[in-house]
């Protein structure tokens, strides 16, 4: 049975207790801290999100490249297989080498706005990565608590089967001496069969929860310990919503995407403006001693070099409406992204308010279920005592045992729901990211490292080596079972 309860502390940072334990605990999956650390290090969804952000980082040098100088070289070797009959000095062959350097000076603001859009998308991507972290952590917490809940449920049902087996044997013995009727034996046998069916269903649910845990965490669950309490939960739904509006990573990402779309619209409008660039080029030609033919080749210069430099201005006069169409398209896209930001804000508000309500309701349910367990246990004790003096029937005992089991299973589920709702509320508020969990700073993934590494690269051959997947596979993890330590018969 889950013995820990979630407590709201009046002071302390979000997830303070969990953060302290994570910082002091090595990576393993026997407790919630280890499960979160294992998922952070090996979860494929997180690894994919980090790789996607690295791809987004490359948008900055891609956007900046059109505004940087470009250098082009060309080499051409030509054999003049057939020459004009009237050409007396035409060469037989030639080698031409040319280089051109172009330096953009003005591009109508297209490059500048494209770079700003790319940088803004990097910021949005970093916020999105934090949202993915929170989502994965919420999955880990849910899977962790599901395993604990279902293991406790299996234990309760297994104990119930053992109790009913004892009841059936006692009822059969009493029937043999004529103390009860065949009906009492049949009722006991029926309840035992139903209890065994409930146990099988509970065991199947436990296996499914353990497999889900393996999927999310990457490790098999092994004697999971009760989780630590969560701290700094909000006092009111208004406080929760305001915190979420300031910190929810998905909402922050949506706001940055709106800004990036605005820069895209400005960049699209640059297509109708002039562009100015400086250029210089040099050419080298060598006719390899063949200019002037075989008779007079020595009378001609076989090598020559030329160079040019200047300023080039390109002024669009008519493009069939293309620049205007591109800008209208970008403006419509920006409008759609802005609407999506409002939609994201609505969703965040709804999620926070819903999570807050579920969290508060879960604690009320815990209290009510605890009352039901205490009352059902007292009722069962009384019914058993009254049965010994003939005031209660076997059916009354069976009903009381079933009522106690339902109350115990309900209490286990309520405690699971309370913890998951608490963590989901923190996640919706933007307070359940990797930085909030107090991991060892050396283990944290810093997206700025890659961005700083690539943002200024200008070499055309500055490639990265192929990388292997960072996440771990679970194909070698053994199939999970419903095995749990034996529970004592009450």
């Amino acid at each position: 049975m889950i013995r820990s309860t979630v407590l709201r502390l009046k002071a302390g940072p979000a997830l303070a207790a969990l953060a302290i334990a994570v910082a002091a605990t090595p990576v393993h999956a026997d407790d919630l801290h280890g499960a979160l650390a294992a998922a952070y290090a090996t979860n494929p969804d997180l690894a994919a999100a980090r790789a996607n952000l690295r791809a987004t980082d490359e948008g900055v040098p891609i956007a900046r490249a059109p505004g940087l100088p470009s250098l082009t070289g060309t080499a051409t070797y030509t054999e003049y297989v057939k020459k004009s009959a009237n050409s007396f000095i035409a060469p037989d062959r030639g080698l031409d080498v040319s280089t051109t350097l172009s330096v953009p000076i003005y591009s109508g603001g297209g490059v500048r706005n494209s770079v700003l859009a790319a940088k803004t998308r990097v910021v949005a991507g970093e916020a999105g990565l934090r949202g993915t972290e929170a989502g994965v952590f919420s999955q880990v917490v849910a899977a962790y608590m599901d395993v604990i809940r279902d293991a406790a449920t299996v234990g309760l049902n297994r104990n119930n089967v053992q109790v009913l087996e004892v009841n059936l044997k006692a009822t059969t013995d009493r029937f043999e001496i004529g103390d009860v009727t065949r009906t009492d034996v049949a009722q006991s046998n029926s309840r035992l069969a139903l209890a065994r069916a409930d146990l099988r269903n509970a065991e199947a649910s436990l296996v499914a929860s353990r497999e889900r845990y393996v999927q999310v965490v990457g490790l098999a669950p092994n004697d999971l310990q009760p989780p630590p309490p969560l701290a700094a939960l909000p006092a009111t739904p208004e406080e929760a919503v305001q915190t979420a509006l300031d910190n929810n990573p998905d909402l922050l990402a949506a706001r940055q995407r709106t800004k990036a779309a605005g820069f895209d619209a400005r960049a699209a409008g640059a297509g109708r403006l002039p562009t100015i660039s400086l250029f210089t080029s040099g050419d080298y030609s060598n006719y390899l001693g063949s200019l002037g033919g075989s008779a007079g080749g020595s009378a001609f210069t076989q090598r020559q070099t030329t160079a040019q430099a200047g300023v080039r201005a390109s002024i669009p006069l008519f493009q069939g409406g293309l620049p205007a169409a591109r800008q209208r398209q970008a403006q419509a896209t920006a409008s759609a992204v802005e609407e999506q930001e409002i939609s994201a804000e609505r969703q965040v508000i709804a999620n926070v308010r819903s999570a807050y309500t579920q969290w508060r309701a879960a604690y009320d349910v815990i209290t009510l279920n605890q009352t039901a367990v205490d009352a059902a246990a007292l009722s069962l004790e009384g019914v058993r005592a009254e049965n010994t003096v003939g005031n209660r029937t076997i059916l009354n005992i069976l009903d009381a045992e079933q009522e106690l089991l339902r109350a115990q299973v309900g209490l286990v589920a309520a405690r699971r729901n309370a913890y998951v709702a608490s963590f989901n509320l923190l996640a919706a508020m933007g307070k359940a990211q990797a930085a909030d969990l107090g991991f060892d700073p050396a283990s944290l993934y810093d997206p700025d490292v890659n961005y700083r590494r690539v943002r200024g690269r200008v070499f055309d051959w500055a490639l990265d080596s192929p990388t292997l997947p960072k996440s771990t596979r679970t194909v070698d993890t053994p199939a999970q079972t419903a095995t749990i330590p034996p529970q004592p018969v009450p």
Side-chain angles (χ1 to χ4, degrees), residues 160-289:
N160 185 52
V161 168
Q162 294 172 358
V163 169
L164 291 175
E165 288 173 344
V166 173
N167 284 351
L168 177 59
K169 185 178 184 306
T171 303
T172 302
D173 292 342
R174 293 175 65 184
F175 170 72
E176 291 177 353
I177 63 176
D179 192 27
V180 296
T181 67
R182 186 179 299 277
T183 301
D184 295 319
V185 176
Q187 289 171 340
S188 296
N189 196 21
S190 173
R191 289 297 177 88
L192 177 58
L194 292 175
R196 286 171 174 167
D198 290 340
L199 174 59
R200 290 295 297 126
N201 287 330
E203 289 173 341
S205 296
L206 175 57
V207 171
S209 295
R210 285 175 169 172
E211 292 293 353
R212 172 62 178 162
Y213 182 96
V214 172
Q215 176 189 352
V216 176
V217 178
L219 300 171
N222 179 27
D223 190 21
L224 302 185
Q225 301 302 307
L230 302 178
L233 292 163
T236 64
E238 291 76 18
E239 178 187 343
V241 168
Q242 187 57 55
T243 303
L245 293 178
D246 296 336
N247 298 282
N248 183 276
D250 295 329
L251 182 55
L252 297 179
R255 290 171 181 167
Q256 294 299 324
R257 286 193 293 268
T258 298
K259 293 180 182 180
F263 290 127
D264 287 338
R266 297 176 191 174
R272 67 171 63 89
L273 299 177
T275 59
I276 302 174
S277 62
L278 302 177
F279 73 91
T280 180
S281 62
D283 297 276
Y284 168 77
S285 298
N286 189 330
Y287 298 106
L288 305 176

Side-chain angles (χ1 to χ4, degrees), residues 261-335:
F263 290 127
D264 287 338
R266 297 176 191 174
R272 67 171 63 89
L273 299 177
T275 59
I276 302 174
S277 62
L278 302 177
F279 73 91
T280 180
S281 62
D283 297 276
Y284 168 77
S285 298
N286 189 330
Y287 298 106
L288 305 176
S290 65
L291 184 64
S294 57
S298 60
F300 299 93
T301 301
Q302 301 294 324
R303 293 182 298 274
Q304 63 182 14
T305 303
T306 61
Q308 305 86 31
V311 179
R312 181 180 293 111
S314 177
I315 305 175
L317 299 178
F318 179 72
Q319 302 176 63
L322 178 61
R326 284 177 173 170
Q327 189 165 19
R328 291 194 305 269
Q329 182 185 56
Q331 289 171 338
T333 300
S335 178

Side-chain angles (χ1 to χ4, degrees), residues 120-135:
T120 305
R121 285 193 170 87
V122 170
V123 178
E126 292 177 353
L129 176 60
R130 295 194 297 273
T132 301
E133 289 175 355

Side-chain angles (χ1 to χ4, degrees), residues 104-151:
I105 300 299
Y106 177 72
S107 59
V111 172
R112 179 174 61 86
N113 284 295
S114 294
V115 171
L116 290 174
K119 288 182 176 179
T120 305
R121 285 193 170 87
V122 170
V123 178
E126 292 177 353
L129 176 60
R130 295 194 297 273
T132 301
E133 289 175 355
V136 169
F137 292 149
S138 295
Q139 294 177 25
V140 171
V141 170
Y144 189 96
M145 298 305 297
D146 285 347
V147 172
I148 293 180
R149 176 201 62 195
D150 292 341

Side-chain angles (χ1 to χ4, degrees), residues 24-51:
T25 305
V27 175
H28 57 84
D30 291 336
D31 53 39
L32 182 55
H33 324 119
L36 291 169
Y40 184 73
T42 65
N43 185 275
D45 293 334
L46 265 180
R50 292 164 184 163

Side-chain angles (χ1 to χ4, degrees), residues 349-385:
I349 293 172
N351 289 346
V352 169
R353 290 173 177 170
S354 175
Y356 182 89
T357 301
Q358 291 174 357
W359 163 59
R360 297 306 296 264
Y363 281 101
D364 293 338
V365 173
I366 288 177
T367 302
L368 294 172
N369 275 278
Q370 185 63 62
T371 301
V373 168
D374 295 340
L378 181 61
S379 173
L380 176 60
E381 182 181 353
V383 169
R384 284 173 173 169

